[in-house]
Amino acid sequence: VVPLVSVNQILLLLLVLTVCAILYNKVHQVPLALRNETVDLENPEEMEEEIPVVICAAAGRMGAAVAAISSIYSNTEANVLFYIVGLKTTIPHIRKWIENSKLKEIKFKVVEFNPVLLKGKIRQDASRPELLQPLNFVRFYLPLLIQKHEKVIYLDDDVIVQGDIQELYDTKLAPGHAAAFSDDCDLPSTHEIVRSVGMQNTYMGFLDYRKQAIRDLGISPSTCSFNPGVIVANMTEWKHQRITKQLEKWMQRNVEENLYSSTLGGGVATSPMLIVFHGKYSSINPMWHIRHLGWSPDTRYSEQFLQEAKLLHWNGRYKPWDYPSVHTDLWENWFIPDPSGKFKLTRPDS
C-alpha cells in the first residue's frame, strides 16, 4: 500500500509542477509583449517632428488654399500641421470646407488675422488692388501666428506641391539667416518665360531708384530679386533680428515717400522683404519653386519640366481657378470642390 501512495504522490507532484511551469511561462510572456509594445510606442506619430505650414485662405480664392493643402497632404508621410490663416468673415467657410471633404483627416489650426495690424502701413495702389488684401501681409507676422515652432514653411495659396514637403522643410539655413527664398535668377529654364512676358527679375522692378531713400540703401538696381511666395523661416532668428519691426518700418516709409516701383505687380508686399533680407537669406532648391505660371495666358513650360518640379507657383494675374490660364490640369488634380457650392471654377464652358 505504501509504495502505491508514494507513486500517486509523485504523479500528483509532477502534475503540480507541470501546471506551475505552464503558468510560469504564461505569466512571463506578458512582460515580453508589453516590452514590444513599449518599443513600438517610443516613436508614435504624435512624437514625430511637426512640420508647420502656413497658408492663407482669402475670400474669393479659398479653392486655392484647399488645392495647395490637398497637394501637400497627398504627397508626404510627414507629420504636417497646417496653419490656415483667414479673416473673421472667411474662417467659418474654410473650416466647413475642410471638415466636410476628404481633408477632414489633416491636422490643422485656423488662425484669425486682424487687419488692424496694417493700419497706416499700406499705400493704396490702384493698378493691382488685389495685392493690398490684408492676408498678403501675413508672412510679415509669422512669429505672432506661430508660437511653438522653431522652423516654419510659408506658402502662397496659388501653389501646388508635387514633392514631399519634408524636403523643403529640410532646407538648410545659414547661421544668422532668418529665412530662405528662391532667387529670381536661379533657374535657366525660367529665363525664357521671364524674357517673353517682359518681366523684371531685379531690384529695379520693385524699388524706385529715383528716391534718395532707395539709393541710400547701396543696393545695385541690377541685383537679382527673390520671390517670397515660398519661405522657410527660422523663428528664433526672425524674432532676434526684429524682422517684423523692420518690415513695418519700410511699409510706413513707403506710405510717406512712395518708395516702391509700380513696374512689377506684387511690389507692395515683396519690396519691403527685398530691402530687409538683402544679402541675408539662404536659398531654396530651385525645383522647389517653379514660378511665373500665372504671368501669361499663353506662355507654357514643357510638360516634362513641370513633371520634374517639386512645387508650382501661379504668381501673376492668370490664376488656375480662373480663365484664361495655363497648366490648369496640373492644378485641378488637387482641387476639391466646395461642399457649400460657393466657390466655383471659372472655365470656358461655365
Side-chain angles (χ1 to χ4, degrees):
V1 176
V2 174
L4 182 59
V5 172
S6 300
V7 170
N8 288 340
Q9 288 176 335
I10 291 170
L11 289 173
L12 182 60
L13 180 61
L14 288 173
L15 180 61
V16 170
L17 289 174
T18 301
V19 172
C20 288
I22 292 171
L23 290 173
Y24 179 88
N25 286 335
K26 285 185 177 292
V27 168
H28 283 266
Q29 281 173 355
V30 175
L32 179 61
L34 288 176
R35 281 199 298 274
N36 287 340
E37 288 175 13
T38 302
V39 169
D40 292 339
L41 290 172
E42 281 178 358
N43 293 304
E45 184 180 344
E46 288 74 21
M47 297 300 288
E48 291 175 10
E49 183 177 20
E50 280 184 336
I51 297 180
V53 176
V54 178
I55 295 179
C56 296
R61 45 194 290 164
M62 287 189 196
V66 166
I69 293 167
S70 171
S71 69
I72 295 166
Y73 181 66
S74 300
N75 286 304
T76 188
E77 296 295 325
N79 184 23
V80 180
L81 174 59
F82 293 97
Y83 283 83
I84 303 169
V85 186
L87 301 180
K88 188 174 184 179
T89 53
T90 61
I91 282 176
H93 186 187
I94 192 66
R95 185 184 290 279
K96 286 181 181 178
W97 197 331
I98 290 171
E99 292 176 348
N100 291 284
S101 71
K102 64 182 181 181
L103 289 181
K104 62 187 176 185
E105 302 297 329
I106 70 170
K107 291 173 60 179
F108 73 100
K109 293 183 179 179
V110 176
V111 181
E112 181 184 341
F113 183 71
N114 191 342
V116 170
L117 286 169
L118 304 174
K119 188 175 182 180
K121 301 184 183 76
I122 300 177
R123 185 183 185 88
Q124 297 303 309
D125 181 358
S127 63
R128 295 290 301 278
E130 74 275 13
L131 296 172
L132 302 178
Q133 297 299 319
L135 295 181
N136 277 337
F137 301 91
V138 162
R139 71 198 90 187
F140 290 14
Y141 296 95
L142 292 176
L144 294 182
L145 303 169
I146 311 297
Q147 302 294 335
K148 64 175 185 174
H149 301 282
E150 168 75 9
K151 198 174 187 182
V152 175
I153 293 173
Y154 167 87
L155 299 177
D156 276 354
D157 60 0
D158 51 356
V159 309
I160 61 165
V161 173
Q162 302 185 135
D164 186 341
I165 199 72
Q166 181 77 53
E167 291 180 29
L168 181 60
Y169 184 74
D170 289 341
T171 298
K172 302 296 183 190
L173 273 66
H177 285 178
F181 306 99
S182 292
D183 287 316
D184 284 329
C185 311
D186 62 4
L187 202 60
S189 303
T190 66
H191 294 175
E192 183 179 341
I193 281 192
V194 169
R195 286 192 298 270
S196 68
V197 299
M199 188 183 349
Q200 297 192 47
N201 57 5
T202 66
Y203 273 55
M204 177 68 84
F206 293 89
L207 305 180
D208 188 347
Y209 278 82
R210 296 171 299 180
K211 303 296 171 66
Q212 188 62 43
I214 298 301
R215 294 199 299 273
D216 287 346
L217 291 169
I219 302 173
S220 168
S222 62
T223 300
C224 185
S225 53
F226 59 79
N227 187 298
V230 177
I231 308 173
V232 181
N234 180 308
M235 292 293 92
T236 300
E237 279 295 336
W238 192 292
K239 288 181 279 192
H240 175 70
Q241 297 179 33
R242 297 170 64 83
I243 296 293
T244 297
K245 288 294 182 186
Q246 292 187 59
L247 292 167
E248 288 184 325
K249 182 189 91 169
W250 284 102
M251 290 169 76
Q252 287 169 328
R253 288 199 67 174
N254 180 59
V255 170
E256 297 161 6
E257 304 174 50
N258 195 17
L259 301 176
Y260 307 159
S261 170
S262 59
T263 306
L264 189 62
V268 180
T270 300
S271 297
M273 299 199 84
L274 291 177
I275 295 171
V276 170
F277 284 101
H278 175 252
K280 295 186 294 184
Y281 66 91
S282 299
S283 295
I284 289 171
N285 180 333
M287 296 306 286
W288 266 101
H289 195 177
I290 302 304
R291 47 206 180 278
H292 315 319
L293 277 76
W295 271 91
S296 166
D298 307 306
T299 309
R300 303 173 67 92
Y301 287 108
S302 76
E303 293 301 325
Q304 181 180 352
F305 176 66
L306 293 181
Q307 292 297 332
E308 295 170 356
K310 304 287 190 177
L311 182 148
L312 303 177
H313 187 184
W314 278 262
N315 58 312
R317 295 175 184 266
Y318 303 98
K319 303 301 186 185
W321 55 90
D322 279 336
Y323 180 83
S325 56
V326 295
H327 304 298
T328 53
D329 55 326
L330 293 174
W331 183 85
E332 278 194 55
N333 283 339
W334 306 109
F335 174 68
I336 299 171
D338 181 1
S340 74
K342 294 177 184 175
F343 182 93
K344 293 181 175 64
L345 302 183
T346 303
R347 294 293 180 256
D349 54 353
S350 62

